[in-house]
Amino acid sequence: MKTSKNHYKLIITIVKKKQANKVMAAAKKAGAEGGTILLGSGLGIHEKESFFGIDMLYEKEIVFTLIPEDRLSNILEHIKEEAKLNKQGTGIGFVVDILAVRGIVHNQMDLTFEEEALDTMTGKVNFDLIVTIVNKGDAGIVVDASKRAGAEGGTILSGRGSGIHEQAKLLSMIIEPEKEIVLTLVTRDKVKRVLHQIEEEASLNQPGKGIAFILPVEETIGINH
């Protein structure tokens, strides 16, 4: 697949609780415009699996950082240094390719590349995943829009984050607005139509309303119909 100066990547970083802000600050310092934090739990190789016979799970924070490809190396290096990911047991990060992006209205993007990328995708699995990140209360708009365009449903997650249009502070503390993340699994022949419908109804072409991007799917289970 060819690349362009406007091609985007998604950095997913998984760290211990209360470390996500360090990841976000490091990414912004290196040129990222924001990020979204999800809460989770898990077990790392350096963490005890049980305590007096009780299975242990540790609170984690997952950071989504969407960035232009030409900033990737610099941002990864800053995250690794600031969040101490070069030390064992502190966390992990990985990069996922993005097929298309909507909602970054302050950037002039080459959407021709995105259309070509989607049209030329091949493989045995005929699905893509649309990830939409919007302000709290707007997830229902995204789900309804996607269903009207042919999707069969969606899954809503809660998180927090900050973007280029969200710089609010209270007593010198950064306030990170609550977010909703919608996961929409769509057949490849419908993905452009669903993405366009989400963009229109959720007003992603307006500053601060949210973003949506597409991830390629390699395998599916549980889709029996």
Side-chain angles (χ1 to χ4, degrees):
M1 182 184 299
K2 70 176 182 177
T3 60
S4 76
K5 63 181 180 180
N6 291 318
H7 193 53
Y8 274 70
K9 299 285 187 178
L10 177 68
I11 302 175
I12 300 176
T13 313
I14 303 172
V15 293
K16 294 179 179 179
K17 187 179 180 182
K18 297 183 179 180
Q19 296 302 303
N21 285 341
K22 291 183 180 179
V23 174
M24 297 248 307
K28 284 187 174 182
K29 183 178 179 181
E33 294 176 347
T36 301
I37 300 172
L38 302 176
L39 301 180
S41 60
L43 182 67
I45 190 172
H46 298 286
E47 295 170 326
K48 293 183 178 180
E49 296 185 13
S50 63
F51 181 74
F52 289 107
I54 301 174
D55 291 338
M56 299 289 291
L57 284 177
Y58 299 84
E59 291 181 291
K60 306 288 184 181
E61 293 178 327
I62 302 95
V63 186
F64 285 6
T65 313
L66 189 67
I67 60 167
E69 186 176 27
D70 58 4
R71 302 179 193 174
L72 178 61
S73 296
N74 190 39
I75 292 174
L76 281 177
E77 187 63 27
H78 273 72
I79 290 174
K80 183 177 71 173
E81 293 296 323
E82 297 292 331
K84 310 299 182 185
L85 297 189
N86 50 353
K87 294 184 178 180
Q88 292 183 343
T90 56
I92 62 171
F94 50 93
V95 179
V96 180
D97 194 30
I98 299 295
L99 296 180
V101 184
R102 293 295 184 275
I104 306 180
V105 296
H106 57 282
N107 281 351
Q108 295 297 320
M109 299 187 61
D110 180 8
L111 301 185
T112 302
F113 163 74
E114 297 181 343
E115 298 295 325
E116 292 175 355
L118 292 172
D119 289 338
T120 56
M121 282 293 295
T122 59
K124 62 181 180 180
V125 178
N126 191 34
F127 285 88
D128 291 313
L129 179 68
I130 301 176
V131 179
T132 310
I133 303 173
V134 291
N135 297 320
K136 185 177 181 181
D138 288 347
I141 297 173
V142 174
V143 173
D144 290 344
S146 64
K147 291 182 72 174
R148 272 191 281 274
E152 296 183 354
T155 301
I156 301 172
L157 308 174
S158 296
R160 59 187 173 91
S162 62
I164 190 171
H165 299 286
E166 299 161 323
Q167 303 293 337
K169 289 187 177 182
L170 177 64
L171 299 178
S172 299
M173 294 179 60
I174 297 176
I175 302 172
E176 294 172 336
E178 292 184 271
K179 300 292 182 184
E180 292 178 329
I181 301 93
V182 184
L183 307 180
T184 311
L185 190 64
V186 187
T187 54
R188 191 155 291 152
D189 62 322
K190 298 178 181 177
V191 68
K192 289 194 291 185
R193 182 165 70 250
V194 173
L195 181 64
H196 177 73
Q197 194 78 13
I198 291 172
E199 180 184 20
E200 289 294 314
E201 295 197 28
S203 302
L204 299 188
N205 51 1
Q206 297 180 16
K209 295 295 291 183
I211 62 173
F213 51 89
I214 299 175
L215 301 178
V217 174
E218 294 186 2
E219 290 284 352
T220 62
I221 58 174
I223 303 179
N224 301 312
H225 56 284

